[in-house]
Amino acid sequence: TQSTRPQRLLGAVQKKATRGNPRSVIQTIDQFCRQREWAMNVGDEKGCILDSVVTETNPTTVLELGTYCGYSTVRIASLLPPQARLITLEFNPDFARIARQVITWAGVQDKVELVEGASGDLIPKMKAQFGVNTFDLVFLDHWKDRYLPDTKLMEECGLLKKGSILLADNVICPGTPDYLEYVRNSPRYQSQYFKSHLEYTKVEDGLEKSVFLG
Ligand SMILES: O=C(NC/C=C/[C@H]1OC[C@H](O)[C@@H]1O)c1cc([N+](=O)[O-])cc(O)c1O
Ligand SMILES: [Mg+2]
């Protein structure tokens, strides 16, 4: 039977990347996506911006919405201090199955908790079920029409504190117009756009970094 693109991406990682070496896993996926098949990872160019925001935030508790194959999961986890934790939510069980193997190959599994399910259902359970108080950093990279409702849900659930950072992928392409309008006009956020390109292409895209002001 035909393999899927995530399965072929995992195959490349297991064939070419060094076990336990997150940078090698990232490099292998970027090479696969440039030379073989495009895939919707945040990619190398926007990935550098993600790295700098993670490093600058120095977060203890991170939430990622939209795991896909685990590329940004590995990127973020590899930059976290020892006690820090990353919770990543993925709706699609096939993607989750691949991501778990990519995360383990990279050797960052001890810092990562991958939870399968819909973000709208799981966000309200973060405190009770996952022992989270607030998130220092949230990386939004899931369905683009869920960015705004899930942000409002995180506010309502008290998961954001003064200084929490929201970093959103794809605010230009595919685009998240309602989310952008909200974070750029709400008095509760200080927003900044990092211009870049859609992963592995010359099409404009960018990341929006928004600081929750409490
Ligand atoms: O749809 C995108 N991401 C949504 C991902 C959705 C994932 O989260 C929920 C769903 O189960 C899926 O696994 C996307 C699409 C493009 N694109 O160019 O089409 C580029 C990107 O960086 C993207 O994150
Ligand atoms: Mg994306």
Side-chain angles (χ1 to χ4, degrees):
T1 55
Q2 270 300 311
S3 66
T4 65
R5 179 169 307 177
Q7 284 171 331
R8 293 192 291 273
L9 182 150
L10 173 62
V13 166
Q14 293 173 330
K15 184 171 175 220
K16 299 193 178 145
T18 308
R19 260 188 191 280
N21 180 335
R23 297 311 308 171
S24 156
V25 168
I26 295 304
Q27 190 180 21
T28 299
I29 295 174
D30 285 329
Q31 188 176 38
F32 174 83
C33 291
R34 286 192 179 282
Q35 295 173 4
R36 294 271 180 278
E37 304 182 60
W38 185 91
M40 60 180 174
N41 316 118
V42 72
D44 41 7
E45 191 180 318
K46 288 185 289 180
C48 286
I49 301 166
L50 170 61
D51 291 354
S52 60
V53 171
V54 173
T55 309
E56 173 191 284
T57 310
N58 196 28
T60 304
T61 314
V62 184
L63 176 64
E64 176 180 62
L65 302 175
T67 316
Y68 186 42
C69 295
Y71 174 93
S72 48
T73 320
V74 168
R75 248 194 126 111
I76 294 166
S78 70
L79 296 172
L80 295 182
Q83 299 316 313
R85 285 287 166 278
L86 166 58
I87 296 176
T88 182
L89 310 185
E90 178 49 59
F91 177 77
N92 182 313
D94 299 322
F95 293 165
R97 190 174 308 109
I98 297 295
R100 290 187 200 287
Q101 297 174 79
V102 169
I103 289 160
T104 302
W105 193 272
V108 297
Q109 68 285 346
D110 294 346
K111 294 177 189 273
V112 175
E113 182 165 10
L114 195 165
V115 188
E116 290 181 44
S119 52
D121 299 338
L122 291 168
I123 285 169
K125 296 175 181 168
M126 280 298 135
K127 289 187 183 252
Q129 194 169 334
F130 299 94
V132 169
N133 181 17
T134 54
F135 290 110
D136 304 304
L137 172 65
V138 182
F139 181 53
L140 298 92
D141 194 21
H142 59 333
W143 280 317
K144 307 316 163 194
D145 60 2
R146 288 298 315 175
Y147 282 30
L148 182 53
D150 285 345
T151 296
K152 289 181 173 174
L153 195 53
M154 286 187 286
E155 289 174 18
E156 286 155 23
C157 296
L159 288 166
L160 304 178
K161 69 177 185 308
K162 186 174 167 44
S164 290
I165 306 285
L166 303 184
L167 187 65
D169 190 26
N170 310 117
V171 296
I172 303 300
C173 178
T176 62
D178 59 343
Y179 172 81
L180 267 192
E181 199 275 333
Y182 179 73
V183 290
R184 289 178 174 174
N185 296 298
S186 163
R188 305 188 74 182
Y189 293 91
Q190 177 57 45
S191 231
Q192 179 184 7
Y193 175 61
F194 292 81
K195 184 175 158 79
S196 184
H197 296 93
L198 180 69
E199 49 266 27
Y200 318 115
T201 77
K202 294 186 175 2
V203 173
E204 182 179 346
D205 188 22
L207 300 175
E208 188 82 1
K209 177 190 171 190
S210 307
V211 185
F212 185 62
L213 302 174

